[in-house]
Amino acid sequence: EGGWFREAYVPGVPDTPVRRLALGSRTASHPDGRLFSCGLHGVVTEWDLARLSPLDNYDSLGGAAWSLALHAGSARLAAGCEDGGVTVFGVVEEGLENVYRLPARGGRVLSL
């Protein structure tokens, strides 16, 4: 009754703990939505929700990725990094593409 429920369980990958998750909207080409994760290993991962396994990995370009935010309206995914910078990816049909990198300002980006 209006509470939380688990739709699926996505097993993790050894030695790559997840720090943050971002879930994209369902579309005709992605009926389950799109799931992205990041972690202290410096990688942003897109997950295959049909197979419940990693689909592709992308370098954060700034070391450990502490935060992640998805803006569905502009199809952008931002990863806040250890070096104080933010990498902005374009979410395209084929995966992610680097759009730009906001320069490091010192200190970790813990929230976006």
Side-chain angles (χ1 to χ4, degrees), residues 26-39:
R26 295 177 176 171
T27 63
S29 58
H30 295 343
D32 295 324
R34 294 176 82 173
L35 180 64
F36 301 95
S37 67
C38 70

Side-chain angles (χ1 to χ4, degrees), residues 88-111:
V88 179
F89 298 95
V91 180
V92 295
E93 198 60 38
E94 302 78 33
L96 296 178
E97 60 184 14
N98 288 339
V99 175
Y100 53 89
R101 175 131 168 91
L102 299 173
R105 298 284 184 208
R108 299 175 179 139
V109 179
L110 299 177
S111 180

Side-chain angles (χ1 to χ4, degrees), residues 33-49:
R34 294 176 82 173
L35 180 64
F36 301 95
S37 67
C38 70
L40 304 184
H41 52 297
V43 173
V44 175
T45 301
E46 181 171 6
W47 293 85
D48 183 328
L49 293 175

Side-chain angles (χ1 to χ4, degrees), residues 1-81:
E1 257 185 68
W4 291 93
F5 72 97
R6 181 174 76 184
E7 186 170 327
Y9 172 78
V10 181
V13 177
D15 300 322
T16 57
V18 171
R19 184 82 182 145
R20 295 283 185 261
L21 294 171
L23 182 62
S25 301
R26 295 177 176 171
T27 63
S29 58
H30 295 343
D32 295 324
R34 294 176 82 173
L35 180 64
F36 301 95
S37 67
C38 70
L40 304 184
H41 52 297
V43 173
V44 175
T45 301
E46 181 171 6
W47 293 85
D48 183 328
L49 293 175
R51 290 189 220 124
L52 301 178
S53 62
L55 181 63
D56 213 342
N57 294 305
Y58 305 89
D59 190 341
S60 73
L61 304 177
W66 288 89
S67 54
L68 198 62
L70 181 65
H71 186 272
S74 66
R76 297 286 190 255
L77 178 75
C81 301

